[in-house]
Amino acid sequence: MLGITNLCKKYNGFELDHISFQLPKGFIMGLVGKNGAGKSTTIKSIMNMLDFQGEILVNGYDNIRCEKQVKQTVGVVVDQPFFPTIFTLEQVEKYAGAFYENWDKDAYYKLLSKFGLLPKKKVSELSRGMGVKLQLAVALSHKAKLLLLDEPTSGLDPVARDELMDILMEYIQDGENSVLFSTHISADLEKIADYVTVLSSGKLFYTGEKDILMEKYAIIKGNYKNISGELEQNLIGTRKYGDSFEAMILKEKYTSSDAFQTENAKIDDILIYAERSA
């Protein structure tokens, strides 16, 4: 569904450095990293909103040479609706319907009803969670095959976040649709993501199956004086306090020792230690 090869972008003292990853049809990928890691830059590049180097294919279409076809098949969801705030949701339908060849008015109103959104309500009157649902209603009504979500759960309460997760899981059930989900809330990804791409200061730290990532790294703790030179070279993002230390390590680079405590690294741990090592 989405293929990115050697994506590069430089601006304002920031560099997105040769990012490559693949998202198959029928799956959800989490795009994670701290604020400023390059998540939004990646999504804007997919939508051809920035000049960039590299190649981006969406459902087999080059996103520059075939920009119209790509934008017909992509739906974008951000933390706040991008429609005029004075519009009612009825007016949003007329506005959005003019842009999409496959627009389905009946589907739009059915989705509004399903999501508990009133057609007469104004965009300015929507809560953050309602605004996300409105954008999803628009995306699903023009039969988007790829959803790009840029920090959509930021500021949502747990109930609204859980409802969004259910919507996304339903969306990919036919095996033909995919989701790229940019977030820094790891609990969301641990619940629904099949794949994860980790960005650290504009560089690619990991891309692949989430379950493999979760088994790949461990957090190691202990007395710093017990670390051998070989082990020290394999530590990632070491944090020292007094004689003690904490760090991340590839499990394949570590042989179990009574001198240290280890535990599986969670996504938050991986983000933190990857950034410390950048």
Side-chain angles (χ1 to χ4, degrees):
M1 178 61 70
L2 175 65
I4 295 181
T5 305
N6 291 325
L7 174 61
C8 299
K9 174 65 181 177
K10 292 183 179 180
Y11 65 100
N12 298 333
F14 172 78
E15 180 178 5
L16 196 63
D17 187 14
H18 292 88
I19 304 300
S20 299
F21 62 84
Q22 304 281 329
L23 172 58
K25 287 185 178 180
F27 294 96
I28 297 174
M29 173 180 280
L31 181 63
V32 298
K34 74 168 189 177
N35 292 337
K39 303 187 299 296
S40 294
T41 298
T42 299
I43 288 177
K44 288 178 180 178
S45 297
I46 295 169
M47 293 305 296
N48 196 23
M49 296 170 64
L50 299 171
D51 292 327
F52 63 88
Q53 293 180 316
E55 181 183 65
I56 298 177
L57 300 179
V58 177
N59 206 22
Y61 293 108
D62 183 281
N63 78 319
I64 296 177
R65 292 195 297 270
C66 305
E67 182 175 10
K68 180 178 178 180
Q69 292 95 322
V70 167
K71 290 187 174 179
Q72 289 292 322
T73 60
V74 173
V76 180
V77 179
V78 294
D79 64 342
Q80 294 283 358
F82 39 77
F83 307 108
T85 57
I86 61 171
F87 276 15
T88 65
L89 304 199
E90 289 178 330
Q91 290 173 311
V92 168
E93 187 279 321
K94 293 180 174 59
Y95 175 82
F99 287 93
Y100 295 109
E101 297 171 355
N102 294 320
W103 183 255
D104 187 333
K105 179 178 179 178
D106 291 339
Y108 175 80
Y109 281 106
K110 286 179 181 178
L111 286 163
L112 290 190
S113 177
K114 179 180 179 179
F115 295 161
L117 300 175
L118 301 176
K120 298 293 185 182
K121 208 173 188 68
K122 290 185 177 181
V123 173
S124 62
E125 298 173 325
L126 300 180
S127 68
R128 192 178 291 264
M130 288 172 148
V132 169
K133 287 180 179 179
L134 171 61
Q135 294 173 82
L136 284 169
V138 171
L140 300 181
S141 296
H142 73 82
K143 299 178 175 61
K145 308 300 290 182
L146 173 65
L147 287 183
L148 303 177
L149 287 78
D150 192 5
E151 302 282 2
T153 57
S154 177
L156 295 188
D157 62 60
V159 173
R161 283 168 50 201
D162 190 63
E163 289 175 345
L164 174 59
M165 300 304 107
D166 287 343
I167 293 168
L168 297 181
M169 290 298 292
E170 182 180 348
Y171 172 71
I172 64 165
Q173 287 307 303
D174 66 359
E176 294 297 318
N177 303 323
S178 302
V179 177
L180 182 66
F181 186 170
S182 161
T183 184
H184 60 271
I185 302 175
S186 62
D188 296 337
L189 301 182
E190 290 170 1
K191 183 180 295 186
I192 66 165
D194 305 290
Y195 294 84
V196 176
T197 293
V198 181
L199 300 181
S200 177
S201 298
K203 298 182 183 298
L204 182 66
F205 182 82
Y206 173 86
T207 187
E209 294 180 31
K210 179 195 67 182
D211 291 343
I212 292 177
L213 174 65
M214 301 297 285
E215 291 297 324
K216 193 177 182 69
Y217 294 97
I219 303 302
I220 181 172
K221 306 175 184 180
N223 192 313
Y224 193 78
K225 294 178 181 179
N226 295 328
I227 298 177
S228 66
E230 181 179 357
L231 177 60
E232 186 172 26
Q233 292 178 2
N234 292 322
L235 298 180
I236 301 169
T238 303
R239 174 189 287 131
K240 299 178 187 177
Y241 41 96
D243 291 334
S244 300
F245 80 98
E246 289 183 5
M248 187 166 69
I249 191 167
L250 281 166
K251 290 182 179 179
E252 65 186 35
K253 298 285 188 180
Y254 176 67
T255 302
S256 181
S257 168
D258 291 338
F260 305 108
Q261 297 177 333
T262 60
E263 58 189 42
N264 286 338
K266 298 180 180 180
I267 291 178
D268 279 347
D269 297 322
I270 294 167
L271 293 178
I272 291 168
Y273 286 100
E275 197 62 39
R276 287 179 63 86
S277 68

